Amino acid sequence: MSMYQITAWITTFITSVICVITYLSNSRKEVNKRWFLMSLSIALWSLFLGFMFGAKDAKSAFIYSKTLMMGASFIPITFYHFVLVLIEKQKEKKQRSILLFGYLIAIFVFLLNFTSLLVKSVSYKTIVRCFYPDAGYLFILYIFSYFAFFGYGCFLLFKSEKMLPMFKKNQVRYILIASGIGSVGGATTFPLWYQIQIVPFGSHFVWLYTFAISIAFLRYILMDIRVVVTRASIFAFVYVLVLGIPFMIAKVAKPYLVGAFSERWWLVILGIGMILAGIGPFIYIRLKSRAEAILLKEERKRHQDLARASRDILRFTNLDALLKAIIHSLIRIMRIKLAAIYLADEDKKVYSLKSAWQPPIKNPDLPKQVIFNSALIKMLSNRKDKPLTIDELNFYRRGSDDLEFLELKQIFESLKSQLIIPAYRTGKLMGFLCLGNKYSERGYSQEDIQVLMVLASHATLAIENAIFSGQERERQAILFHSASLASLGTMASMMGHQVNNRFQAVNNLAGFSETLELMLDSKKDFSLDERKQLIEKSITSLRRISDEATKGGETVASIRRLGKLSSEEFSPVALGEVLDVALGVLRYKIKFDEFNFNMDVLDTLPKILGDSTQLGEVFFNLIDNAYDAIKERAEANSNPDYKVEGDGLAADSQSHKLEGDGLATDSQSHKLEGDGLAADSQSHKLEGDGLASDSQSRKPELTIKAYIKRNDKHLHIEVSDTGMGIKDDFMPKLFVPFYTTKTSSGKGTGLGLHVIKRIIEFHKGKISVESKYGEGTTFKIELPTAEAREGEKTNA
Amino acid sequence: MPKLFIVDDEPSFEEAIKPFFELKGFTVFTAQSGEEALPKIEIEKPDVILLDMHLKGKLDGLGILKEIKEKSLSAKIIMLTGMENDVKDEALKIGADKFLTKPVTVKVLYESVAEVLAQDK
């Protein structure tokens, strides 16, 4: 069996397999049908070619050559038709005429095989060592059609390459090169028909050609052909060296080696060969990376930018800002015309457009919603995290009437997109990114898509984070408000109590009327002096009633002030007034004779820009807490067995249970809100004037101090007590939401230091605490003056 | 002559209520805090005690109530408060005989005192 026969049948085998695969993969697609027909023609041709090469006599050789030409007659036209369908030009009028013409020629050539006009005869040709056909008069027609159709087909491929999207471009390049080489290779068989002594070496490689083309169009994503060619060349180069060098050495240096090593001289060669084979791969890899770095420099840079953007977006906590950032990065780095993000709306069963940009249009005309069971979502869900391009849809299209394809194509068009990247989180489709065409009109390469997938997964994480933060903030705001209201409730309740006391006093004094009545009833005779006394007593009572009424009125006024629930109306407020409100309420509960109350707050201090109600709450709570701490300590000192429950601030052990509620959020907010607290928890100060051991004989102190520092537009306020203090362990958790919940005489809830901190921060201030357990605590507050805040506004 | 003990830090109680009840035939004692009241109560053994919830000093109304009950004094106790009624149940549980919310008129005070005094008989 000759080489020719072997290679011919290899071609047959491979081409037949390709036939079958092509048919099975997608028989309804036009391009597959065309390729199937062409492969079939080639398979038939090569089958009989093989037989012909193996023919033992002229007669059988003659028959085989006719049959092989029957197969061959259709090769050119089927190729041409395949190309047309590939570049989607088969419907053009001009092309249809050409096709018709081509098929007619093919049929004609086919029929010619029944005569000897195509294949005149066979003769034994030494150059191939077998019988080989001789050309008939009309063989030239076949050659003509062959070159015409292959040539023009390749030309069309070449021309169309520029205008195709990336993936098709690659395909076309592969096919063009393969066809070019293949057709030239095929043509090498012609000269010998005319006794021109050229070896038909091309026939050995036909299988390669069909194989290459099949790969090109059966696989959807192909490596960039430049990369393939580069790698192949470098590989060839390296291995030519690896194999060639020992060979060269053997040839050139053989005499010397034999001289040196006699019979074992070839071991040296082998040794050199092995060394080279060892280092060969490394050289290959290095050269390959260098070459590809240069080749793909621009693409690599883009991908690096995208990778960096992926990491950057993780720092966003605001959802809107995050989405805008993602879209801007995509448009800028990928240089595309449009980007949009859709996110799932759990309750509404749709994916809503959250952010989009089509420079310069800020709100491009895109569908606002995509429903859960639209074709697009179904397709994305089926493919898990694989991105989807319109090209791929086209590729897998099952024929021109594929309804699903048409629906998807319409969706893509309405989304103005070329690529859609799904965002998955815990197995669910959270949303998707839509990317439009690149400005360069080139498609998305495989590497592009891979990098974009990384961006998408980072984006998904960041989006989830932002949503969670947003929800957290909302939740905190709600908790804050209810705590605020509860605290206000307590204050109002206390004030109500005070008013009731005023009324009781009024009642008591008015009760003098009852006394008078009793006296009148007794019908006793009153002396002048006695009458005078009664009248004077009445006058006193009435005056006192008036006083009590006035006091009541003042309390009502403070209740009225409370009634202005925290609107965000900031106005300049004097600290003195705020403290008056707070103390006014507390005067009821706090026995100011039990301790030394020092207030060092001058009227001349600058005003704070703020909400007097909220600030009132803050100081009300701080002073209340301070007072409780003092009482605790007094208890502890008088009763040695008395154990302080919890952190010294909570009077009730329930506070620990409440802390457990939402611990995850506690630690998170602690991280988010850290400002000055970490620093302060370490330092402890001896409070006041060294009351440590001597607490029993000395009166406790509660001090409120306010001052300004030079060149610092802040008002500094300190509320300190010589109470129980706070244990070290509890210091870090001090400002955690609801950590401190205490009951004051069983009524209401304290504001909790967390809420106090929020109010201070809302006023653009800072709060910190220093404490020593057993000795006392100082809260330090810093608030910008009204002047400073005004300055901010004018600067902004 | 029934004995009435008033524990309240509001001075108008002593000024105005005391004369009234005295005219009605009571002997009236007053105190402004728990610490002041308890020893006096033990000595005088009043029949009725008018006790305010919120007082100066360490003990509040409930505390004093408990102390009185612990000492098994036989006085009837009327609690008086200006705040909400959420401790009403507790006070009654500990052993208060009546619970009033301020403001109350002198007349109501008198009627309550008469009512609790009549309870045993």
Side-chain angles (χ1 to χ4, degrees), chain A residues 96-262:
Chain A
R96 289 174 93 155
S97 338
I98 295 178
L99 274 178
L100 186 63
F101 180 61
Y103 276 108
L104 285 174
I105 292 185
I107 292 172
F108 183 62
V109 169
F110 179 84
L111 292 170
L112 279 181
N113 283 305
F114 291 108
T115 69
S116 20
L117 287 169
L118 202 70
V119 184
K120 192 169 75 179
S121 57
V122 290
S123 46
Y124 191 84
K125 303 192 183 170
T126 40
I127 197 167
V128 293
R129 277 187 264 192
C130 69
F131 289 99
Y132 201 85
D134 302 312
Y137 293 113
L138 291 179
F139 188 69
I140 193 77
L141 178 65
Y142 178 70
I143 295 181
F144 165 76
S145 77
Y146 182 92
F147 279 111
F149 286 111
F150 268 102
Y152 193 53
C154 288
F155 174 70
L156 284 178
L157 280 176
F158 179 73
K159 230 180 53 165
S160 73
E161 184 230 337
K162 291 184 187 44
M163 298 188 299
L164 293 171
M166 191 57 169
F167 111 85
K168 259 224 158 125
K169 224 198 280 258
N170 241 0
Q171 249 187 6
V172 164
R173 280 184 191 153
Y174 273 92
I175 292 173
L176 182 57
I177 290 178
S179 307
I181 296 174
S183 52
V184 167
T188 55
T189 58
F190 298 150
L192 202 53
W193 284 68
Y194 291 96
Q195 327 299 345
I196 300 169
Q197 300 295 321
I198 292 182
V199 176
F201 57 85
S203 69
H204 290 308
F205 299 106
V206 179
W207 62 268
L208 190 59
Y209 155 76
T210 50
F211 183 68
I213 295 194
S214 310
I215 300 255
F217 98 102
L218 283 175
R219 272 185 55 97
Y220 162 61
I221 291 278
L222 298 164
M223 259 199 309
D224 193 332
I225 196 172
R226 297 176 298 167
V227 172
V228 170
V229 167
T230 312
R231 282 193 190 173
S233 316
I234 294 177
F235 183 82
F237 172 71
V238 170
Y239 280 90
V240 159
L241 284 182
V242 167
L243 296 172
I245 290 178
F247 191 69
M248 288 299 291
I249 293 177
K251 246 192 145 187
V252 168
K254 184 169 171 188
Y256 306 99
L257 290 170
V258 171
F261 301 97
S262 59

Side-chain angles (χ1 to χ4, degrees), chain A residues 17-139:
Chain A
V17 167
I18 286 169
C19 249
V20 171
I21 293 177
T22 308
Y23 189 76
L24 289 178
S25 80
N26 198 342
S27 57
R28 288 176 58 193
K29 249 174 90 169
E30 188 70 18
V31 70
N32 287 47
K33 281 191 225 171
R34 297 298 129 231
W35 181 243
F36 168 73
L37 283 178
M38 184 178 175
S39 321
L40 191 61
S41 313
I42 295 179
L44 283 173
W45 163 76
S46 58
L47 177 65
F48 292 114
L49 184 70
F51 280 124
M52 187 202 81
F53 278 127
K56 298 288 187 249
D57 57 278
K59 193 161 175 221
S60 36
F62 188 51
I63 294 175
Y64 286 135
S65 24
K66 283 193 181 175
T67 40
L68 72 84
M69 278 315 293
M70 284 184 188
S73 55
F74 285 99
I75 294 178
I77 192 58
T78 49
F79 170 76
Y80 188 74
H81 199 170
F82 166 69
V83 166
L84 280 185
V85 170
L86 192 68
I87 58 177
E88 292 177 35
K89 286 205 170 184
Q90 72 273 31
K91 299 260 169 74
E92 284 178 22
K93 253 193 163 168
K94 179 173 106 177
Q95 298 301 338
R96 289 174 93 155
S97 338
I98 295 178
L99 274 178
L100 186 63
F101 180 61
Y103 276 108
L104 285 174
I105 292 185
I107 292 172
F108 183 62
V109 169
F110 179 84
L111 292 170
L112 279 181
N113 283 305
F114 291 108
T115 69
S116 20
L117 287 169
L118 202 70
V119 184
K120 192 169 75 179
S121 57
V122 290
S123 46
Y124 191 84
K125 303 192 183 170
T126 40
I127 197 167
V128 293
R129 277 187 264 192
C130 69
F131 289 99
Y132 201 85
D134 302 312
Y137 293 113
L138 291 179
F139 188 69

